[in-house]
Amino acid sequence: MAAPAAPSVASAPTQGPGGPGYAPPQGPGGPPYPRQAPQPQWTGRPAPAGYPTQPPQPARPKKGGGRGLVIAVAAVLAFAVAGGATAYVVLKDKDGQTSTEAGGKPDGTSSPGTRGDGGTGSGKGSASSAPRPTDAPAPRAATYKDINLTAGYHLTLGDDTIRPQDGEDNNYDLSYDTGGYLDAESSGGNLVLLDPGQRGGLEACRAETRFTTNIYVNKLSPGRQVCVTTGTGHLGLVTVKAFSPEDSPSTYLTLDLTVWRNGAPSASTG
């Protein structure tokens, strides 16, 4: 006896694009499969009719973008901090300079009359010491030989031509008094008798302080020297050469004279 024929199962018709999806065949007694619409892929071209469109996906950010943003923000903050510090220093220096120019003393105050570099005050705003004057050039020496200075006559060291002139006791630079002595009569003038063998000159006469206003002739001898300082600031050096002989009708002293005009130190006058 022949086996009964199996029931035939009708296959679902197929449809082209745009129609309902394909349904697989169902087994006997099984539940029907759900019908799913195909998922189209985005190709950049318009989808066929009946297929849903899908918008383009946004591009993924490149790796490292967040790190670069952090570095940029840190750099901006660093520049801002550095700029603020620079502005603070500049403003502080400007304020300090303005205070100093106005007479202020940033680090303290000095007592009146003290110097900031060595006084008792602690301030740095005190005035500096006055500039030291430069050394004046040495004056030129003028020499006059074999002058016969007669008693009762005088010499004026400021004259261009030095010649004995009549007169004594009248505020003269150097006179041979009839009392037998050399006399410095000018106000502030003086004499210094150098020691035997001591060589006189500009520096030697400036350094001497053994002042007197008159020197008796009997203390002199040929070769002795006398420094002469006038009240007008001239400096002279007298070198004794000889005395008048006993049979001379006049009493005189023969001498050489060297003059440094305006060469006397101010400390030796008075």
Side-chain angles (χ1 to χ4, degrees):
M1 182 175 179
S8 61
V9 178
S11 60
T14 61
Q15 295 183 1
Y22 171 76
Q26 300 178 357
Y33 288 94
R35 301 181 65 182
Q36 297 179 357
Q39 299 295 330
Q41 296 183 354
W42 179 257
T43 61
R45 293 176 298 177
Y51 283 88
T53 60
Q54 183 177 0
Q57 298 295 328
R60 294 181 179 179
K62 296 183 179 180
K63 293 183 178 180
R67 183 180 179 183
L69 179 60
V70 172
I71 294 175
V73 172
V76 171
L77 292 177
F79 278 112
V81 172
T86 303
Y88 172 77
V89 172
V90 171
L91 291 176
K92 184 177 180 181
D93 292 343
K94 183 176 180 180
D95 292 341
Q97 182 178 2
T98 303
S99 176
T100 302
E101 291 176 354
K105 300 176 177 59
D107 296 336
T109 58
S110 297
S111 59
T114 58
R115 292 175 52 188
D117 55 353
T120 57
S122 60
K124 297 181 181 179
S126 57
S128 60
S129 58
R132 302 176 64 181
T134 56
D135 294 336
R140 297 180 59 182
T143 303
Y144 304 89
K145 297 287 188 179
D146 299 324
I147 299 175
N148 293 319
L149 180 59
T150 304
Y153 283 71
H154 68 272
L155 300 175
T156 301
L157 274 60
D159 292 344
D160 292 334
T161 301
I162 295 181
R163 180 181 176 86
Q165 301 179 34
D166 188 15
E168 59 178 319
D169 299 329
N170 193 17
N171 202 32
Y172 299 123
D173 291 343
L174 177 65
S175 64
Y176 186 1
D177 196 280
T178 53
Y181 56 86
L182 295 179
D183 193 8
E185 300 177 352
S186 63
S187 177
N190 55 63
L191 305 174
V192 175
L193 177 62
L194 300 182
D195 297 330
Q198 183 179 0
R199 184 177 182 85
L202 175 63
E203 297 304 326
C205 289
R206 280 178 169 178
E208 282 291 346
T209 57
R210 297 175 293 169
F211 305 125
T212 185
T213 56
N214 54 71
I215 300 174
Y216 280 88
V217 176
N218 58 9
K219 293 184 178 180
L220 301 177
S221 60
R224 295 294 297 272
Q225 292 184 316
V226 178
C227 293
V228 182
T229 302
T230 72
T232 54
H234 304 310
L235 190 65
L237 178 64
V238 172
T239 302
V240 178
K241 298 187 69 176
F243 300 94
S244 58
E246 293 182 358
D247 57 352
S248 173
S250 60
T251 301
Y252 60 91
L253 178 67
T254 303
L255 54 87
D256 291 343
L257 177 63
T258 302
V259 178
W260 294 274
R261 292 182 174 88
N262 300 317
S266 59
S268 65
T269 60

